[in-house]
Amino acid sequence: EAGVAQSPRYKIIEKRQSVAFWCNPISGHATLYWYQQILGQGPKLLIQFQNNGVVDDSQLPKDRFSAERLKGVDSTLKIQPAKLEDSAVYLCASSVGVYQETQYFGPGTRLLVL
Amino acid sequence: GENVEQHPSTLSVQEGDSAVIKCTYSDSASNYFPWYKQELGKRPQLIIDIRSNVGEKKDQRIAVTLNKTAKHFSLHITETQPEDSAVYFCAARLGGGADGLTFGKGTHLIIQP
């Protein structure tokens, strides 16, 4: 079974620039999550989708972050404009359903904002 | 706000000894508690999980215990091996509903040869 795919793996940008990350969950997984992992910390949930609807985006900084999952499969996370403190690994995870708890993580996108 | 506290932040044990990592959570409605292992530069990997209707679960050298009354859960690794060296994260599904996971800050486990 193929795992969660993410791209790009690495991205370096300057502050105030925009960046987008892509995630393809495990086939058949209805629930998709985006987490932010700052160096030395645990992952922090940014947004959760169930199919193409948002379940929870309470910790998403909506003034600069946006995410979508238009067809209920792939998802993109965008930051516009980026700040220095956005430097982190952005992890995508998926699970079979919202009440099927096991979450499988992708390899992450490592973002450095200069 | 709701959170998960994890201790210790660093744990060094001799190879073959046991390691114990402890976490506490704030929301009594929490119902799912996974543990993830993360090697440097890699994705978090689920190693064991427990649900709120169970007090203990074991998988070979790894076990997790849950005390709902005290709102804490622990990871136990016996007969530690060099490949157990990694950062371990506890997490909890707070609120008992359909929420995403809230993670602890991690424990860097070092296995001394």
Side-chain angles (χ1 to χ4, degrees):
Chain A
E1 172 181 90
V4 177
Q6 290 187 246
S7 68
R9 294 295 311 278
Y10 305 93
K11 191 73 177 179
I12 301 174
I13 61 173
E14 295 187 349
K15 60 183 179 183
R16 292 188 290 273
Q17 287 187 324
S18 302
V19 65
F21 313 128
W22 173 83
C23 172
N24 182 236
I26 293 172
S27 178
H29 281 197
T31 309
L32 185 148
Y33 311 81
W34 283 101
Y35 290 88
Q36 178 193 58
Q37 186 175 23
I38 293 172
L39 187 66
Q41 297 182 20
K44 172 189 167 185
L45 180 68
L46 293 176
I47 190 167
Q48 176 184 345
F49 291 94
Q50 173 70 10
N51 295 311
N52 60 348
V54 176
V55 174
D56 180 9
D57 64 355
S58 57
Q59 298 190 92
L60 187 72
K62 298 180 187 65
D63 58 333
R64 298 185 301 106
F65 286 64
S66 64
E68 60 183 13
R69 193 184 184 201
L70 293 176
K71 296 183 179 179
V73 181
D74 294 5
S75 176
T76 55
L77 176 69
K78 297 180 182 178
I79 307 175
Q80 180 179 9
K83 292 185 175 181
L84 298 178
E85 57 262 37
D86 298 332
S87 295
V89 176
Y90 291 84
L91 294 161
C92 179
S94 69
S95 63
V96 171
V98 68
Y99 289 105
Q100 302 299 314
E101 299 96 343
T102 303
Q103 296 184 24
Y104 299 89
F105 282 84
T109 295
R110 190 174 299 273
L111 174 67
L112 179 60
V113 182
L114 301 176
Chain B
E2 307 292 358
N3 60 19
V4 175
E5 300 284 341
Q6 183 171 348
H7 300 280
S9 57
T10 304
L11 178 60
S12 181
V13 302
Q14 289 294 124
E15 181 179 349
D17 288 350
S18 295
V20 180
I21 302 170
K22 300 181 179 181
C23 288
T24 59
Y25 58 97
S26 54
D27 185 355
S28 57
S30 302
N31 61 2
Y32 173 64
F33 308 91
W35 286 88
Y36 283 83
K37 175 183 180 181
Q38 189 174 31
E39 297 177 22
L40 189 63
K42 297 193 175 180
R43 74 189 75 189
Q45 298 267 19
L46 179 72
I47 56 172
I48 197 166
D49 57 11
I50 192 167
R51 289 165 178 80
S52 57
N53 58 348
V54 176
E56 183 175 0
K57 183 177 179 180
K58 191 173 182 180
D59 182 4
Q60 300 184 340
R61 296 186 298 109
I62 295 173
V64 57
T65 58
L66 172 66
N67 183 327
K68 288 177 59 181
T69 303
K71 291 189 284 186
H72 69 70
F73 57 111
S74 301
L75 177 71
H76 304 253
I77 306 175
T78 59
E79 301 172 17
T80 54
Q81 301 169 3
E83 52 266 36
D84 294 331
S85 293
V87 179
Y88 291 80
F89 292 98
C90 64
R93 169 169 281 194
L94 301 181
D99 300 335
L101 298 173
T102 298
F103 283 80
K105 291 190 174 182
T107 296
H108 185 192
L109 178 62
I110 302 166
I111 307 301
Q112 303 278 9

